[in-house]
Structure formats: C-alpha cells, structure tokens
Amino acid sequence: MNDLQIFQSSEFGQVRMVEINKKPYAVGVDVARALGYKNPSKAVIQHCKGITKAGIPSKGGIQETNVIPEGDIYRLIIKSELPSAERFEKWVFDEVLPSIRKNGMYVTEVKLQQKIFNAMKVEMTSLVDEIVTDKINQIEEKCSQYFRPLSKEKQNICKYIKKRLGIDKADEEYELVKQRVLIKLGGEKWEDIPVETLVNSLNIIDESIRIIKSDRQVNQLSIFEIAN
C-alpha cells in the first residue's frame, strides 16, 4: 500500500486516498460526507460492495478504516441526493483519479505547471552548459592552433626576419619589419596573427625587409656623402 494522499476541495472538503495493488481507494466516509449523506458510515456499508480495510493515520494513531474502490465511489454518487453530486463526480473522475494514474499522485494545476517548469529548467540548464562548453572548447582549440606565442612556426618566422636583416638579436630594424607586417595583417602583436596566415604572408615579410634594407642603404649613402 502506498502512503496516504489527501486531496482538498474548497467545495467538498477533504478526501483521503491510498493505493492498494496499484489501484486507488478512497476513505469511504470522506466520500459519503462530501456527497451529503447524513450518516456517512452507514451509507458506505449500505451502498458499497468492494469495501476493504486500510491503515489510515489519524490523531489517535493508525486506524483500520473502510476504503472503497472507484466503482463504489460512483455508487455513492448515484445514490446521493446532493445537487452538487455531479460536480463531485467531475472533480474525482476528471481530475483526481486521472492525475493519480498519470503522475503517481494528485497535482493541482499550479503544481503541474511547477513540475513542467522544473523539467524545462533542468533541460535548458543542460543545453546552455553544453553550448558554453562547446564554445569554450572551440576557443581553446583556436588558441592552441593559432595563438601560441611559442609556436615553432612563429619562431622560425622571427629567425627568418633576423637572418634576412643580417642580425642575431631583435633591433630597431627588426621591430620596423615586425610593425609593418603586423599593420599589413591587421594585428598588434605576433600572437594576434594565426600561424597559417604568417606562413602564407612571406611576400609581405620579404617586401618589408626590402624596404627596411633600402632605407638602410640610403642612410649609409647620405652619411658617406656628408663625410666627403
């Protein structure tokens, strides 16, 4: 037997229910009282055919109480002279019992919406986490592939520039070549330029080196002429 479930209606009051062998049973006197019977206990005995006993919690502890299946609930409704019996039938058979079968417990509209919201929240959180994780992985992959300052290819480019300039260490001419290349490629430092772009831009690097060497020759000639 499942735990006691208490269903509350502003019109009919309280109806306690339990599940026995996966079937819903209502406390007989609760149903009879809601349907306006003057003697609820007598009405249950008189009209119900599937009465069984179940331990129902009360102020005095667990008490063996008459509970009735769906068929007997309907019998009490039919025998009731209460004008609102039809509304009670609609509440029990259209809301309470279908909800028990579907959700394993009775839920009001608000509770059902909350349940749906919680499920959607979990799903959306999982989706957002997946999207964010995917984006982070993409960025890390790009950083790993293109923007590593110690990339071997970039070191080779730096060595290539120094060799063409005939220097061992970075000097003013090296920095001028570097700045011209970065401006051409739209970056502020080597780390901004993908390795592949640098490798495919040797013509820009060579052009920058030629310009710097040309300026060097002009400056040397001017100094020689001044000396003479």
Side-chain angles (χ1 to χ4, degrees):
M1 183 185 74
N2 286 3
D3 293 338
L4 176 72
Q5 300 176 46
I6 300 176
F7 308 134
Q8 193 73 34
S9 167
S10 58
E11 182 175 5
F12 303 110
Q14 172 182 284
V15 174
R16 293 166 292 173
M17 296 193 72
V18 294
E19 194 175 64
I20 302 174
N21 296 326
K22 297 184 179 180
K23 293 182 180 180
Y25 282 73
V27 172
V29 291
D30 290 353
V31 175
R33 188 179 296 112
L35 289 169
Y37 286 96
K38 294 180 180 179
N39 190 332
S41 297
K42 182 179 178 180
V44 171
I45 299 298
Q46 183 178 352
H47 299 299
C48 298
K49 298 180 179 180
I51 299 173
T52 188
K53 295 286 186 178
I56 302 297
S58 67
K59 293 181 180 180
I62 303 297
Q63 293 186 356
E64 289 296 311
T65 306
N66 288 336
V67 293
I68 57 176
E70 293 181 51
D72 284 338
I73 296 174
Y74 195 69
R75 289 187 180 91
L76 288 174
I77 292 172
I78 293 175
K79 299 293 183 179
S80 173
E81 297 179 357
L82 197 69
S84 60
E86 186 175 344
R87 292 197 299 274
F88 179 81
E89 176 190 359
K90 182 176 179 62
W91 176 58
V92 171
F93 286 94
D94 290 354
E95 295 184 36
V96 176
L97 294 177
S99 183
I100 291 174
R101 295 189 186 97
K102 182 178 180 180
N103 302 298
M105 63 177 182
Y106 175 74
V107 291
T108 62
E109 183 66 22
V110 173
K111 288 182 179 179
L112 182 59
Q113 290 179 2
Q114 184 65 41
K115 185 176 181 180
I116 294 173
F117 172 78
N118 290 339
M120 291 178 63
K121 182 179 178 181
V122 171
E123 184 176 349
M124 289 300 296
T125 300
S126 176
L127 180 61
V128 169
D129 287 344
E130 183 178 339
I131 292 174
V132 170
T133 300
D134 184 59
K135 288 296 182 183
I136 290 175
N137 290 338
Q138 290 180 21
I139 292 171
E140 288 180 345
E141 176 64 22
K142 288 182 178 179
C143 288
S144 175
Q145 183 176 359
Y146 295 116
F147 301 116
R148 287 183 297 175
L150 298 179
S151 169
K152 183 178 179 181
E153 290 84 354
K154 288 184 179 179
Q155 287 183 340
N156 290 339
I157 293 293
C158 295
K159 290 179 181 179
Y160 175 78
I161 295 173
K162 293 173 185 177
K163 183 176 180 180
R164 289 290 310 277
L165 289 173
I167 59 177
D168 295 326
K169 297 181 180 180
D171 60 6
E172 183 179 355
E173 289 184 339
Y174 171 84
E175 291 298 328
L176 288 172
V177 172
K178 174 182 173 182
Q179 290 303 318
R180 188 177 189 280
V181 172
L182 289 174
I183 291 172
K184 287 284 187 179
L185 298 180
E188 296 182 357
K189 52 185 181 298
W190 288 132
E191 289 80 1
D192 295 336
I193 311 300
V195 171
E196 184 179 352
T197 301
L198 272 177
V199 172
N200 293 331
S201 303
L202 286 177
N203 59 324
I204 295 177
I205 295 173
D206 288 339
E207 179 187 9
S208 300
I209 292 172
R210 282 196 300 270
I211 291 174
I212 297 303
K213 281 187 173 182
S214 175
D215 288 343
R216 179 198 297 172
Q217 292 172 357
V218 170
N219 291 336
Q220 288 176 345
L221 179 60
S222 299
I223 294 172
F224 178 76
E225 290 176 344
I226 292 172
N228 289 332

mmCIF file of all heavy atoms in Angstrom, residues 69-112:
data_model
loop_
_atom_site.group_PDB
_atom_site.id
_atom_site.type_symbol
_atom_site.label_atom_id
_atom_site.label_comp_id
_atom_site.label_asym_id
_atom_site.label_seq_id
_atom_site.Cartn_x
_atom_site.Cartn_y
_atom_site.Cartn_z
ATOM 1 N N PRO A 69 -13.147 1.278 -3.656
ATOM 2 C CA PRO A 69 -12.571 1.472 -4.991
ATOM 3 C C PRO A 69 -13.414 2.438 -5.824
ATOM 4 O O PRO A 69 -14.438 2.954 -5.363
ATOM 5 C CB PRO A 69 -12.601 0.062 -5.577
ATOM 6 C CG PRO A 69 -13.783 -0.573 -4.931
ATOM 7 C CD PRO A 69 -13.846 -0.016 -3.535
ATOM 8 N N GLU A 70 -12.994 2.644 -7.057
ATOM 9 C CA GLU A 70 -13.671 3.603 -7.940
ATOM 10 C C GLU A 70 -15.150 3.265 -8.136
ATOM 11 O O GLU A 70 -16.004 4.158 -8.154
ATOM 12 C CB GLU A 70 -12.970 3.637 -9.304
ATOM 13 C CG GLU A 70 -11.566 4.201 -9.271
ATOM 14 C CD GLU A 70 -10.933 4.225 -10.655
ATOM 15 O OE1 GLU A 70 -11.573 4.751 -11.586
ATOM 16 O OE2 GLU A 70 -9.814 3.707 -10.816
ATOM 17 N N GLY A 71 -15.439 1.980 -8.298
ATOM 18 C CA GLY A 71 -16.829 1.585 -8.539
ATOM 19 C C GLY A 71 -17.747 2.004 -7.411
ATOM 20 O O GLY A 71 -18.882 2.465 -7.646
ATOM 21 N N ASP A 72 -17.281 1.872 -6.171
ATOM 22 C CA ASP A 72 -18.108 2.251 -5.023
ATOM 23 C C ASP A 72 -18.221 3.767 -4.886
ATOM 24 O O ASP A 72 -19.240 4.280 -4.394
ATOM 25 C CB ASP A 72 -17.535 1.650 -3.741
ATOM 26 C CG ASP A 72 -17.825 0.161 -3.628
ATOM 27 O OD1 ASP A 72 -18.790 -0.296 -4.281
ATOM 28 O OD2 ASP A 72 -17.102 -0.543 -2.903
ATOM 29 N N ILE A 73 -17.184 4.482 -5.296
ATOM 30 C CA ILE A 73 -17.291 5.950 -5.304
ATOM 31 C C ILE A 73 -18.442 6.356 -6.217
ATOM 32 O O ILE A 73 -19.268 7.214 -5.876
ATOM 33 C CB ILE A 73 -15.972 6.600 -5.783
ATOM 34 C CG1 ILE A 73 -14.836 6.305 -4.800
ATOM 35 C CG2 ILE A 73 -16.144 8.110 -5.953
ATOM 36 C CD1 ILE A 73 -13.471 6.799 -5.268
ATOM 37 N N TYR A 74 -18.505 5.702 -7.363
ATOM 38 C CA TYR A 74 -19.560 6.018 -8.326
ATOM 39 C C TYR A 74 -20.937 5.635 -7.779
ATOM 40 O O TYR A 74 -21.925 6.347 -7.985
ATOM 41 C CB TYR A 74 -19.284 5.296 -9.646
ATOM 42 C CG TYR A 74 -20.090 5.838 -10.797
ATOM 43 C CD1 TYR A 74 -19.834 7.111 -11.313
ATOM 44 C CD2 TYR A 74 -21.114 5.092 -11.362
ATOM 45 C CE1 TYR A 74 -20.578 7.615 -12.368
ATOM 46 C CE2 TYR A 74 -21.863 5.589 -12.418
ATOM 47 C CZ TYR A 74 -21.592 6.855 -12.916
ATOM 48 O OH TYR A 74 -22.341 7.352 -13.947
ATOM 49 N N ARG A 75 -21.011 4.518 -7.056
ATOM 50 C CA ARG A 75 -22.295 4.101 -6.467
ATOM 51 C C ARG A 75 -22.798 5.139 -5.465
ATOM 52 O O ARG A 75 -23.992 5.461 -5.423
ATOM 53 C CB ARG A 75 -22.144 2.741 -5.792
ATOM 54 C CG ARG A 75 -21.975 1.581 -6.763
ATOM 55 C CD ARG A 75 -21.996 0.229 -6.046
ATOM 56 N NE ARG A 75 -21.821 -0.870 -6.997
ATOM 57 C CZ ARG A 75 -20.654 -1.390 -7.330
ATOM 58 N NH1 ARG A 75 -19.534 -0.923 -6.755
ATOM 59 N NH2 ARG A 75 -20.578 -2.369 -8.210
ATOM 60 N N LEU A 76 -21.892 5.663 -4.651
ATOM 61 C CA LEU A 76 -22.287 6.689 -3.681
ATOM 62 C C LEU A 76 -22.745 7.962 -4.386
ATOM 63 O O LEU A 76 -23.663 8.653 -3.914
ATOM 64 C CB LEU A 76 -21.125 6.993 -2.739
ATOM 65 C CG LEU A 76 -20.783 5.909 -1.707
ATOM 66 C CD1 LEU A 76 -19.522 6.292 -0.936
ATOM 67 C CD2 LEU A 76 -21.947 5.698 -0.737
ATOM 68 N N ILE A 77 -22.107 8.283 -5.507
ATOM 69 C CA ILE A 77 -22.505 9.475 -6.266
ATOM 70 C C ILE A 77 -23.924 9.301 -6.803
ATOM 71 O O ILE A 77 -24.768 10.213 -6.712
ATOM 72 C CB ILE A 77 -21.513 9.730 -7.426
ATOM 73 C CG1 ILE A 77 -20.143 10.156 -6.872
ATOM 74 C CG2 ILE A 77 -22.044 10.800 -8.378
ATOM 75 C CD1 ILE A 77 -19.046 10.240 -7.913
ATOM 76 N N ILE A 78 -24.208 8.133 -7.369
ATOM 77 C CA ILE A 78 -25.531 7.872 -7.956
ATOM 78 C C ILE A 78 -26.631 7.942 -6.891
ATOM 79 O O ILE A 78 -27.717 8.492 -7.119
ATOM 80 C CB ILE A 78 -25.550 6.495 -8.646
ATOM 81 C CG1 ILE A 78 -24.629 6.519 -9.876
ATOM 82 C CG2 ILE A 78 -26.970 6.107 -9.053
ATOM 83 C CD1 ILE A 78 -24.492 5.175 -10.548
ATOM 84 N N LYS A 79 -26.354 7.410 -5.712
ATOM 85 C CA LYS A 79 -27.361 7.362 -4.648
ATOM 86 C C LYS A 79 -27.517 8.697 -3.918
ATOM 87 O O LYS A 79 -28.489 8.899 -3.183
ATOM 88 C CB LYS A 79 -26.985 6.284 -3.631
ATOM 89 C CG LYS A 79 -26.920 4.867 -4.199
ATOM 90 C CD LYS A 79 -28.292 4.370 -4.628
ATOM 91 C CE LYS A 79 -28.209 2.926 -5.128
ATOM 92 N NZ LYS A 79 -29.548 2.404 -5.524
ATOM 93 N N SER A 80 -26.582 9.608 -4.122
ATOM 94 C CA SER A 80 -26.618 10.884 -3.401
ATOM 95 C C SER A 80 -27.738 11.771 -3.925
ATOM 96 O O SER A 80 -28.023 11.812 -5.128
ATOM 97 C CB SER A 80 -25.282 11.611 -3.548
ATOM 98 O OG SER A 80 -25.351 12.909 -2.994
ATOM 99 N N GLU A 81 -28.370 12.501 -3.007
ATOM 100 C CA GLU A 81 -29.412 13.458 -3.375
ATOM 101 C C GLU A 81 -28.864 14.881 -3.406
ATOM 102 O O GLU A 81 -29.605 15.835 -3.647
ATOM 103 C CB GLU A 81 -30.573 13.370 -2.375
ATOM 104 C CG GLU A 81 -31.268 12.010 -2.370
ATOM 105 C CD GLU A 81 -32.384 11.929 -1.358
ATOM 106 O OE1 GLU A 81 -32.577 12.930 -0.618
ATOM 107 O OE2 GLU A 81 -33.063 10.892 -1.296
ATOM 108 N N LEU A 82 -27.572 15.018 -3.180
ATOM 109 C CA LEU A 82 -26.949 16.340 -3.154
ATOM 110 C C LEU A 82 -26.896 16.917 -4.570
ATOM 111 O O LEU A 82 -26.443 16.243 -5.504
ATOM 112 C CB LEU A 82 -25.526 16.235 -2.587
ATOM 113 C CG LEU A 82 -24.871 17.532 -2.113
ATOM 114 C CD1 LEU A 82 -25.575 18.035 -0.853
ATOM 115 C CD2 LEU A 82 -23.392 17.303 -1.823
ATOM 116 N N PRO A 83 -27.382 18.160 -4.770
ATOM 117 C CA PRO A 83 -27.368 18.768 -6.112
ATOM 118 C C PRO A 83 -25.953 18.863 -6.712
ATOM 119 O O PRO A 83 -25.789 18.828 -7.931
ATOM 120 C CB PRO A 83 -27.955 20.163 -5.872
ATOM 121 C CG PRO A 83 -28.786 20.012 -4.640
ATOM 122 C CD PRO A 83 -28.047 19.021 -3.784
ATOM 123 N N SER A 84 -24.961 18.970 -5.845
ATOM 124 C CA SER A 84 -23.588 19.135 -6.334
ATOM 125 C C SER A 84 -22.888 17.799 -6.584
ATOM 126 O O SER A 84 -21.687 17.768 -6.863
ATOM 127 C CB SER A 84 -22.770 19.955 -5.332
ATOM 128 O OG SER A 84 -22.731 19.305 -4.071
ATOM 129 N N ALA A 85 -23.631 16.686 -6.496
ATOM 130 C CA ALA A 85 -23.023 15.365 -6.680
ATOM 131 C C ALA A 85 -22.368 15.240 -8.057
ATOM 132 O O ALA A 85 -21.326 14.603 -8.212
ATOM 133 C CB ALA A 85 -24.073 14.277 -6.490
ATOM 134 N N GLU A 86 -22.986 15.862 -9.050
ATOM 135 C CA GLU A 86 -22.431 15.787 -10.404
ATOM 136 C C GLU A 86 -21.080 16.500 -10.479
ATOM 137 O O GLU A 86 -20.158 16.037 -11.153
ATOM 138 C CB GLU A 86 -23.416 16.405 -11.399
ATOM 139 C CG GLU A 86 -22.978 16.240 -12.852
ATOM 140 C CD GLU A 86 -24.027 16.748 -13.830
ATOM 141 O OE1 GLU A 86 -25.189 16.944 -13.413
ATOM 142 O OE2 GLU A 86 -23.680 16.948 -15.003
ATOM 143 N N ARG A 87 -20.967 17.617 -9.759
ATOM 144 C CA ARG A 87 -19.694 18.343 -9.751
ATOM 145 C C ARG A 87 -18.626 17.538 -9.007
ATOM 146 O O ARG A 87 -17.452 17.545 -9.381
ATOM 147 C CB ARG A 87 -19.866 19.724 -9.107
ATOM 148 C CG ARG A 87 -20.714 20.677 -9.941
ATOM 149 C CD ARG A 87 -20.528 22.120 -9.502
ATOM 150 N NE ARG A 87 -20.924 22.340 -8.116
ATOM 151 C CZ ARG A 87 -22.175 22.609 -7.741
ATOM 152 N NH1 ARG A 87 -23.152 22.658 -8.644
ATOM 153 N NH2 ARG A 87 -22.457 22.825 -6.466
ATOM 154 N N PHE A 88 -19.052 16.843 -7.943
ATOM 155 C CA PHE A 88 -18.114 15.984 -7.218
ATOM 156 C C PHE A 88 -17.610 14.872 -8.137
ATOM 157 O O PHE A 88 -16.414 14.544 -8.157
ATOM 158 C CB PHE A 88 -18.798 15.375 -5.987
ATOM 159 C CG PHE A 88 -17.910 14.452 -5.198
ATOM 160 C CD1 PHE A 88 -16.992 14.946 -4.286
ATOM 161 C CD2 PHE A 88 -17.986 13.074 -5.374
ATOM 162 C CE1 PHE A 88 -16.166 14.087 -3.558
ATOM 163 C CE2 PHE A 88 -17.169 12.210 -4.656
ATOM 164 C CZ PHE A 88 -16.253 12.722 -3.744
ATOM 165 N N GLU A 89 -18.521 14.290 -8.902
ATOM 166 C CA GLU A 89 -18.137 13.235 -9.851
ATOM 167 C C GLU A 89 -17.103 13.766 -10.847
ATOM 168 O O GLU A 89 -16.102 13.104 -11.143
ATOM 169 C CB GLU A 89 -19.373 12.738 -10.603
ATOM 170 C CG GLU A 89 -19.044 11.702 -11.676
ATOM 171 C CD GLU A 89 -20.236 11.393 -12.568
ATOM 172 O OE1 GLU A 89 -21.314 11.967 -12.350
ATOM 173 O OE2 GLU A 89 -20.073 10.588 -13.492
ATOM 174 N N LYS A 90 -17.344 14.969 -11.353
ATOM 175 C CA LYS A 90 -16.420 15.553 -12.328
ATOM 176 C C LYS A 90 -15.049 15.787 -11.705
ATOM 177 O O LYS A 90 -14.015 15.502 -12.327
ATOM 178 C CB LYS A 90 -16.999 16.878 -12.847
ATOM 179 C CG LYS A 90 -16.136 17.563 -13.902
ATOM 180 C CD LYS A 90 -16.830 18.804 -14.427
ATOM 181 C CE LYS A 90 -15.961 19.511 -15.456
ATOM 182 N NZ LYS A 90 -15.693 18.660 -16.633
ATOM 183 N N TRP A 91 -15.034 16.293 -10.489
ATOM 184 C CA TRP A 91 -13.759 16.553 -9.806
ATOM 185 C C TRP A 91 -12.967 15.265 -9.601
ATOM 186 O O TRP A 91 -11.780 15.194 -9.904
ATOM 187 C CB TRP A 91 -14.030 17.234 -8.458
ATOM 188 C CG TRP A 91 -12.790 17.456 -7.631
ATOM 189 C CD1 TRP A 91 -11.681 18.153 -7.994
ATOM 190 C CD2 TRP A 91 -12.538 16.961 -6.316
ATOM 191 N NE1 TRP A 91 -10.741 18.133 -6.978
ATOM 192 C CE2 TRP A 91 -11.250 17.408 -5.932
ATOM 193 C CE3 TRP A 91 -13.274 16.199 -5.407
ATOM 194 C CZ2 TRP A 91 -10.686 17.114 -4.689
ATOM 195 C CZ3 TRP A 91 -12.720 15.916 -4.170
ATOM 196 C CH2 TRP A 91 -11.438 16.356 -3.816
ATOM 197 N N VAL A 92 -13.643 14.222 -9.102
ATOM 198 C CA VAL A 92 -12.958 12.968 -8.789
ATOM 199 C C VAL A 92 -12.522 12.232 -10.051
ATOM 200 O O VAL A 92 -11.365 11.814 -10.180
ATOM 201 C CB VAL A 92 -13.856 12.055 -7.926
ATOM 202 C CG1 VAL A 92 -13.224 10.669 -7.788
ATOM 203 C CG2 VAL A 92 -14.065 12.671 -6.553
ATOM 204 N N PHE A 93 -13.449 12.092 -11.013
ATOM 205 C CA PHE A 93 -13.167 11.240 -12.171
ATOM 206 C C PHE A 93 -12.437 11.968 -13.306
ATOM 207 O O PHE A 93 -11.782 11.327 -14.125
ATOM 208 C CB PHE A 93 -14.467 10.618 -12.693
ATOM 209 C CG PHE A 93 -14.987 9.522 -11.813
ATOM 210 C CD1 PHE A 93 -15.922 9.789 -10.823
ATOM 211 C CD2 PHE A 93 -14.522 8.224 -11.940
ATOM 212 C CE1 PHE A 93 -16.392 8.789 -9.993
ATOM 213 C CE2 PHE A 93 -14.989 7.212 -11.115
ATOM 214 C CZ PHE A 93 -15.925 7.495 -10.133
ATOM 215 N N ASP A 94 -12.568 13.290 -13.353
ATOM 216 C CA ASP A 94 -11.897 14.033 -14.425
ATOM 217 C C ASP A 94 -10.566 14.637 -13.988
ATOM 218 O O ASP A 94 -9.725 14.960 -14.833
ATOM 219 C CB ASP A 94 -12.798 15.167 -14.943
ATOM 220 C CG ASP A 94 -13.999 14.634 -15.713
ATOM 221 O OD1 ASP A 94 -14.048 13.411 -15.935
ATOM 222 O OD2 ASP A 94 -14.869 15.437 -16.086
ATOM 223 N N GLU A 95 -10.366 14.804 -12.675
ATOM 224 C CA GLU A 95 -9.138 15.441 -12.204
ATOM 225 C C GLU A 95 -8.307 14.536 -11.298
ATOM 226 O O GLU A 95 -7.154 14.222 -11.598
ATOM 227 C CB GLU A 95 -9.468 16.746 -11.463
ATOM 228 C CG GLU A 95 -10.086 17.818 -12.350
ATOM 229 C CD GLU A 95 -10.305 19.119 -11.597
ATOM 230 O OE1 GLU A 95 -9.461 19.455 -10.742
ATOM 231 O OE2 GLU A 95 -11.318 19.791 -11.844
ATOM 232 N N VAL A 96 -8.915 14.121 -10.183
ATOM 233 C CA VAL A 96 -8.144 13.401 -9.165
ATOM 234 C C VAL A 96 -7.633 12.056 -9.674
ATOM 235 O O VAL A 96 -6.427 11.793 -9.686
ATOM 236 C CB VAL A 96 -8.978 13.208 -7.883
ATOM 237 C CG1 VAL A 96 -8.192 12.378 -6.872
ATOM 238 C CG2 VAL A 96 -9.367 14.556 -7.292
ATOM 239 N N LEU A 97 -8.534 11.188 -10.096
ATOM 240 C CA LEU A 97 -8.129 9.834 -10.493
ATOM 241 C C LEU A 97 -7.220 9.823 -11.726
ATOM 242 O O LEU A 97 -6.203 9.120 -11.732
ATOM 243 C CB LEU A 97 -9.369 8.964 -10.718
ATOM 244 C CG LEU A 97 -10.200 8.687 -9.449
ATOM 245 C CD1 LEU A 97 -11.441 7.870 -9.788
ATOM 246 C CD2 LEU A 97 -9.364 7.964 -8.401
ATOM 247 N N PRO A 98 -7.539 10.576 -12.801
ATOM 248 C CA PRO A 98 -6.614 10.601 -13.941
ATOM 249 C C PRO A 98 -5.229 11.112 -13.563
ATOM 250 O O PRO A 98 -4.216 10.640 -14.080
ATOM 251 C CB PRO A 98 -7.298 11.553 -14.935
ATOM 252 C CG PRO A 98 -8.743 11.473 -14.592
ATOM 253 C CD PRO A 98 -8.771 11.328 -13.101
ATOM 254 N N SER A 99 -5.194 12.089 -12.647
ATOM 255 C CA SER A 99 -3.903 12.630 -12.233
ATOM 256 C C SER A 99 -3.096 11.599 -11.454
ATOM 257 O O SER A 99 -1.881 11.510 -11.591
ATOM 258 C CB SER A 99 -4.116 13.883 -11.383
ATOM 259 O OG SER A 99 -2.887 14.454 -11.036
ATOM 260 N N ILE A 100 -3.775 10.800 -10.625
ATOM 261 C CA ILE A 100 -3.088 9.744 -9.878
ATOM 262 C C ILE A 100 -2.484 8.734 -10.844
ATOM 263 O O ILE A 100 -1.340 8.306 -10.701
ATOM 264 C CB ILE A 100 -4.062 9.042 -8.910
ATOM 265 C CG1 ILE A 100 -4.448 9.994 -7.780
ATOM 266 C CG2 ILE A 100 -3.434 7.780 -8.332
ATOM 267 C CD1 ILE A 100 -5.507 9.438 -6.854
ATOM 268 N N ARG A 101 -3.246 8.348 -11.862
ATOM 269 C CA ARG A 101 -2.756 7.356 -12.826
ATOM 270 C C ARG A 101 -1.576 7.894 -13.628
ATOM 271 O O ARG A 101 -0.635 7.169 -13.933
ATOM 272 C CB ARG A 101 -3.887 6.963 -13.781
ATOM 273 C CG ARG A 101 -5.040 6.238 -13.106
ATOM 274 C CD ARG A 101 -6.003 5.680 -14.140
ATOM 275 N NE ARG A 101 -7.183 5.112 -13.498
ATOM 276 C CZ ARG A 101 -8.332 5.751 -13.342
ATOM 277 N NH1 ARG A 101 -8.465 6.987 -13.786
ATOM 278 N NH2 ARG A 101 -9.350 5.170 -12.742
ATOM 279 N N LYS A 102 -1.635 9.176 -13.970
ATOM 280 C CA LYS A 102 -0.608 9.751 -14.833
ATOM 281 C C LYS A 102 0.654 10.112 -14.075
ATOM 282 O O LYS A 102 1.767 9.853 -14.532
ATOM 283 C CB LYS A 102 -1.157 11.005 -15.524
ATOM 284 C CG LYS A 102 -0.169 11.652 -16.483
ATOM 285 C CD LYS A 102 -0.800 12.850 -17.176
ATOM 286 C CE LYS A 102 0.180 13.503 -18.136
ATOM 287 N NZ LYS A 102 -0.417 14.676 -18.825
ATOM 288 N N ASN A 103 0.504 10.712 -12.901
ATOM 289 C CA ASN A 103 1.649 11.266 -12.185
ATOM 290 C C ASN A 103 2.028 10.505 -10.925
ATOM 291 O O ASN A 103 3.022 10.822 -10.290
ATOM 292 C CB ASN A 103 1.367 12.730 -11.806
ATOM 293 C CG ASN A 103 1.074 13.581 -13.018
ATOM 294 O OD1 ASN A 103 1.906 13.736 -13.884
ATOM 295 N ND2 ASN A 103 -0.137 14.113 -13.090
ATOM 296 N N GLY A 104 1.228 9.524 -10.553
ATOM 297 C CA GLY A 104 1.523 8.785 -9.336
ATOM 298 C C GLY A 104 1.060 9.521 -8.098
ATOM 299 O O GLY A 104 1.197 9.050 -6.991
ATOM 300 N N MET A 105 0.501 10.723 -8.278
ATOM 301 C CA MET A 105 -0.037 11.486 -7.161
ATOM 302 C C MET A 105 -0.950 12.550 -7.729
ATOM 303 O O MET A 105 -0.893 12.886 -8.909
ATOM 304 C CB MET A 105 1.078 12.148 -6.345
ATOM 305 C CG MET A 105 1.884 13.158 -7.126
ATOM 306 S SD MET A 105 3.119 13.942 -6.090
ATOM 307 C CE MET A 105 3.841 15.088 -7.250
ATOM 308 N N TYR A 106 -1.795 13.082 -6.895
ATOM 309 C CA TYR A 106 -2.688 14.143 -7.341
ATOM 310 C C TYR A 106 -1.931 15.456 -7.365
ATOM 311 O O TYR A 106 -1.210 15.789 -6.432
ATOM 312 C CB TYR A 106 -3.876 14.276 -6.387
ATOM 313 C CG TYR A 106 -4.779 15.444 -6.719
ATOM 314 C CD1 TYR A 106 -5.628 15.386 -7.812
ATOM 315 C CD2 TYR A 106 -4.752 16.596 -5.945
ATOM 316 C CE1 TYR A 106 -6.451 16.450 -8.125
ATOM 317 C CE2 TYR A 106 -5.573 17.663 -6.251
ATOM 318 C CZ TYR A 106 -6.421 17.583 -7.338
ATOM 319 O OH TYR A 106 -7.227 18.634 -7.645
ATOM 320 N N VAL A 107 -2.059 16.208 -8.458
ATOM 321 C CA VAL A 107 -1.415 17.514 -8.534
ATOM 322 C C VAL A 107 -2.429 18.542 -9.002
ATOM 323 O O VAL A 107 -3.232 18.285 -9.886
ATOM 324 C CB VAL A 107 -0.212 17.508 -9.514
ATOM 325 C CG1 VAL A 107 0.917 16.681 -8.967
ATOM 326 C CG2 VAL A 107 -0.612 16.994 -10.879
ATOM 327 N N THR A 108 -2.391 19.707 -8.400
ATOM 328 C CA THR A 108 -3.229 20.801 -8.857
ATOM 329 C C THR A 108 -2.596 21.391 -10.105
ATOM 330 O O THR A 108 -1.468 21.063 -10.478
ATOM 331 C CB THR A 108 -3.325 21.890 -7.778
ATOM 332 O OG1 THR A 108 -2.019 22.411 -7.548
ATOM 333 C CG2 THR A 108 -3.886 21.321 -6.484
ATOM 334 N N GLU A 109 -3.306 22.302 -10.754
ATOM 335 C CA GLU A 109 -2.784 22.935 -11.966
ATOM 336 C C GLU A 109 -1.480 23.671 -11.675
ATOM 337 O O GLU A 109 -0.531 23.622 -12.450
ATOM 338 C CB GLU A 109 -3.826 23.918 -12.516
ATOM 339 C CG GLU A 109 -3.417 24.594 -13.826
ATOM 340 C CD GLU A 109 -3.307 23.610 -14.976
ATOM 341 O OE1 GLU A 109 -3.924 22.532 -14.902
ATOM 342 O OE2 GLU A 109 -2.591 23.919 -15.941
ATOM 343 N N VAL A 110 -1.437 24.352 -10.522
ATOM 344 C CA VAL A 110 -0.219 25.092 -10.159
ATOM 345 C C VAL A 110 0.949 24.138 -9.974
ATOM 346 O O VAL A 110 2.061 24.374 -10.450
ATOM 347 C CB VAL A 110 -0.450 25.908 -8.873
ATOM 348 C CG1 VAL A 110 0.861 26.540 -8.404
ATOM 349 C CG2 VAL A 110 -1.502 26.978 -9.109
ATOM 350 N N LYS A 111 0.697 23.027 -9.262
ATOM 351 C CA LYS A 111 1.767 22.056 -9.036
ATOM 352 C C LYS A 111 2.225 21.431 -10.346
ATOM 353 O O LYS A 111 3.409 21.163 -10.542
ATOM 354 C CB LYS A 111 1.288 20.973 -8.074
ATOM 355 C CG LYS A 111 1.141 21.444 -6.632
ATOM 356 C CD LYS A 111 0.717 20.299 -5.733
ATOM 357 C CE LYS A 111 0.596 20.752 -4.286
ATOM 358 N NZ LYS A 111 0.155 19.636 -3.411
ATOM 359 N N LEU A 112 1.272 21.182 -11.254
ATOM 360 C CA LEU A 112 1.622 20.590 -12.537
ATOM 361 C C LEU A 112 2.490 21.544 -13.345
ATOM 362 O O LEU A 112 3.483 21.142 -13.954
ATOM 363 C CB LEU A 112 0.351 20.241 -13.313
ATOM 364 C CG LEU A 112 0.551 19.561 -14.669
ATOM 365 C CD1 LEU A 112 1.316 18.252 -14.493
ATOM 366 C CD2 LEU A 112 -0.786 19.304 -15.346
#
